[in-house]
Amino acid sequence: MTRSVEEIRRLLVGPVNSIPTSFHPDGAIDWDGIANIIEVGIASGSQVSLLTYGDSQMEFLSDEETEQLTRFLVERVGDRTLTVAATRRWSTQRMVEFARFSQDSGADVLMVLPSEMASVAA
């Protein structure tokens, strides 16, 4: 489902459920824990399920895990809330690839962290 800009703006009010990535003691992603966080947010009235570089621990995830987390969020939420995917600090080319992946996966919005080239120029 593609949301209009107006619908996205309307949904970006009230509480936002920033989804942390939870892990098992062995370092594996705790998918049940993440599902619980998503469900509690929706049940509590949040209209936005949001991945972020910080809360979602993107620094500690591989590219594949970042894609798995994005796909998991979109599939778990369905059309119940706005879904926001997030990037890691990648090259511009990888950002573009992930933007396409996020769109194809059904994420409504993509929050982009500046590419690794931005830190080189600073």
Side-chain angles (χ1 to χ4, degrees):
M1 168 174 94
T2 302
R3 296 183 193 267
S4 68
V5 172
E6 293 78 24
E7 184 178 7
I8 291 170
R9 284 185 181 145
R10 182 181 56 77
L11 291 170
L12 282 173
V13 297
V16 172
N17 188 14
S18 182
I19 312 293
T21 301
S22 53
F23 298 92
H24 291 288
D26 66 359
I29 295 174
D30 179 2
W31 297 108
D32 290 336
I34 295 168
N36 186 52
I37 293 165
I38 292 169
E39 295 305 324
V40 167
I42 293 171
S44 299
S46 177
Q47 297 182 95
V48 180
S49 298
L50 170 84
L51 299 175
T52 70
Y53 179 80
D55 284 351
S56 303
Q57 303 295 317
M58 298 294 190
E59 181 177 354
F60 304 105
L61 302 178
S62 66
D63 289 4
E64 181 181 338
E65 289 170 327
T66 301
E67 289 180 355
Q68 290 171 344
L69 180 60
T70 301
R71 190 176 299 113
F72 183 82
L73 174 72
V74 170
E75 290 175 359
R76 183 73 191 203
V77 167
D79 62 357
R80 298 180 292 162
T81 71
L82 184 76
T83 54
V84 180
T87 67
R88 298 176 59 208
R89 195 172 300 277
W90 285 315
S91 68
T92 302
Q93 178 182 345
R94 179 66 181 118
M95 292 276 196
V96 170
E97 292 168 359
F98 188 76
R100 288 188 183 116
F101 168 83
S102 295
Q103 184 177 32
D104 292 345
S105 295
D108 296 305
V109 176
L110 177 61
M111 183 174 10
V112 178
L113 189 67
S115 77
E116 54 189 32
M117 294 308 293
S119 63
V120 172

